[in-house]
Amino acid sequence: MPDLAQSDPETSELDVEPVAETGSSILIVDDDAAVRNVISVLLCEEGYQVRSVGSAEDALSATSAGDTHLVISDLKMPGHDGLWLLDQMRKEHPDTTVLMLTGFGDTEAAVECLRRGAADYLLKPPKVTELVRAIERALSRRRIDLARRRYQRRLERKVMDKTEELVEALQSVEASYQSTLLALVAALDAREHETSDHSQRVVRFTIAIATSLGFTGKELAEIGRGALLHDIGKIGVPDSILLKPGPLTREEWVEMRKHPDIGFQILKSIPFLTTPAEIVLSHQERFDGGGYPRGLAGQGIPIGARIFAIADTFDAITSDRPYRKGRSYDAAREEIARCATTQFDPDCVKAFLALDNERLRELRAAVAQVG
Ligand SMILES: [Fe+2]
């Protein structure tokens, strides 16, 4: 008998259970009682635990517990035939091996049995030695298949565990990035504004408008990051200009207007911030082309920047400044609606106006949830 467990190098790593072949449970299925009896007696003498039934239907109920190692089935039987039983066994009990008994001249049927997953076929009446060898071969192959499946399952579990660990690690890296960015922006806000949460409010308004425009997932998170980092370039603007109480001179404006480009230069080489970097570069553009630094117009301005422009203006109008009180939400709405097509993208304005004052108040009050 060929020893498959040793001849197959793939199985060397497999955990093949040392099951005694002779203790295996075998079910004989044949409508001819004489055939059943002969084979039963023979296999009992070989040390197998043998049961026998007279039909495919009975075979199915006899194997329902799932503890049958091998089924030896006749092909032609009244009622459901051996092929039907083979199909049922493959479906219901894939761990049970099936050996088929076929008549002389029925080669096509024999090939069909193998195609549908039978371990082997024997011509009727089978020779004793051939039958025993075929059983041993089939049982041996079954043990290897089972071990291979167990090994596969273990591998799949390992891959799943490792994938989970990786996802967790990536999430924690992302969370660290996010808190680093929030800390950096809070420091910048504190330098320029009375309160330190201007940028976070703008993020919330930007995300709300982007959401009502249909953005979700990664795209939404990137738009939120662009809004968060919009003024990061002001790090390169001297205090004497950024914090000057009076109006800026022409030269000072030139310096001030460099901040989108400075921000872009800071962020562009950080791989997960390339899209936010584009928003930072474009956040002072106007829909009619009158903005800076590139004088982009219409759809040429990244969508995140078009959305941000509205959120930033809304926050500026409604926030208190040292020299004036913040104006009402309705006044801000009117102003933004008036500037649709000049300063702002009219589609983004429409999405903004769809948010009611109650929602905007909630967003202003909410704790920052930047994606
Ligand atoms: Fe800015």
Side-chain angles (χ1 to χ4, degrees):
M1 178 186 79
D3 188 342
L4 291 179
Q6 281 181 7
S7 64
D8 185 348
E10 266 190 86
T11 60
S12 56
E13 283 186 31
L14 304 180
D15 168 24
V16 182
E17 273 177 21
V19 174
E21 306 273 348
T22 47
S24 301
S25 152
I26 297 179
L27 178 72
I28 297 156
V29 192
D30 201 305
D31 55 311
D32 185 336
V35 175
R36 288 204 302 271
N37 290 339
V38 171
I39 299 180
S40 292
V41 170
L42 182 82
L43 296 186
C44 279
E45 281 172 5
E46 291 289 325
Y48 294 110
Q49 296 171 29
V50 185
R51 290 171 298 150
S52 65
V53 291
S55 72
E57 293 84 348
D58 289 348
L60 211 54
S61 28
T63 51
S64 62
D67 55 359
T68 308
H69 297 137
L70 176 75
V71 167
I72 301 173
S73 174
D74 189 13
L75 186 62
K76 284 191 176 129
M77 291 181 286
H80 287 303
D81 65 2
L83 274 181
W84 177 85
L85 177 61
L86 173 62
D87 287 344
Q88 299 302 310
M89 293 305 296
R90 301 308 300 151
K91 208 160 49 184
E92 307 279 324
H93 305 292
D95 290 348
T96 302
T97 301
V98 182
L99 256 181
M100 302 301 293
L101 297 176
T102 61
F104 266 118
D106 217 353
T107 326
E108 262 178 45
V111 170
E112 184 61 16
C113 291
L114 295 180
R115 200 184 65 77
R116 295 205 200 176
D120 208 345
Y121 70 90
L122 291 167
L123 297 179
K124 282 176 82 171
K127 286 187 191 128
V128 177
T129 48
E130 277 178 12
L131 178 63
V132 171
R133 272 189 199 146
I135 290 172
E136 285 173 359
R137 240 186 351 252
L139 286 173
S140 175
R141 197 179 305 154
R142 173 181 175 272
R143 282 194 302 123
I144 291 166
D145 283 348
L146 285 181
R148 188 174 283 141
R149 257 176 267 162
R150 266 200 307 276
Y151 179 66
Q152 175 116 18
R153 275 199 299 273
R154 264 209 307 271
L155 269 186
E156 282 169 359
R157 235 186 350 256
K158 218 181 242 180
V159 169
M160 254 163 58
D161 289 349
K162 289 287 165 202
T163 308
E164 256 171 49
E165 278 173 30
L166 192 62
V167 167
E168 272 171 31
L170 284 174
Q171 279 169 347
S172 111
V173 167
E174 202 172 319
S176 306
Y177 273 136
Q178 194 62 28
S179 34
T180 309
L181 294 181
L182 285 170
L184 178 61
V185 168
L188 280 170
D189 270 356
R191 178 177 170 231
E192 187 185 0
H193 301 276
E194 286 289 296
T195 55
S196 64
D197 56 0
H198 155 73
S199 295
Q200 293 200 31
R201 280 198 311 271
V202 173
V203 169
R204 276 173 254 153
F205 298 139
T206 300
I207 283 183
I209 301 168
T211 304
S212 67
L213 280 167
F215 288 96
T216 55
K218 189 172 174 245
E219 275 184 314
L220 185 64
E222 286 185 326
I223 290 173
R225 284 210 180 100
L228 179 72
L229 299 169
H230 69 278
D231 267 349
I232 199 155
K234 283 187 177 167
I235 212 165
V237 177
D239 279 358
S240 57
I241 297 174
L242 188 69
L243 307 178
K244 186 176 175 183
L248 301 183
T249 65
R250 261 174 62 96
E251 292 73 31
E252 286 167 340
W253 266 120
V254 170
E255 281 304 304
M256 184 64 130
R257 289 185 168 196
K258 286 179 183 167
H259 79 273
D261 196 48
I262 296 171
F264 178 70
Q265 298 303 329
I266 293 171
L267 302 178
K268 69 173 185 190
S269 53
I270 303 174
F272 86 113
L273 292 177
T274 38
T275 305
E278 285 292 334
I279 297 173
V280 169
L281 178 61
S282 316
H283 80 274
Q284 298 284 3
E285 301 288 359
R286 288 169 53 106
F287 197 69
D288 60 7
Y292 64 90
R294 293 178 288 176
L296 299 178
Q299 312 293 317
I301 305 167
I303 180 68
R306 278 179 270 149
I307 297 169
F308 161 82
I310 297 170
D312 193 41
T313 301
F314 177 74
D315 191 62
I317 295 176
T318 54
S319 297
D320 293 338
R321 289 287 158 89
Y323 47 91
R324 63 150 173 83
K325 282 282 294 168
R327 291 164 65 199
S328 72
Y329 283 20
D330 285 337
R333 279 176 180 284
E334 262 173 48
E335 179 64 13
I336 288 167
R338 194 179 61 78
C339 296
T341 72
T342 52
Q343 196 175 341
F344 306 122
D345 177 343
D347 290 335
C348 298
V349 170
K350 214 181 282 173
F352 164 74
L353 293 174
L355 303 167
D356 60 29
N357 285 350
E358 187 56 30
R359 176 89 183 102
L360 291 168
R361 254 186 287 277
E362 277 169 21
L363 289 169
R364 177 176 269 273
V367 177
Q369 299 263 321
V370 187

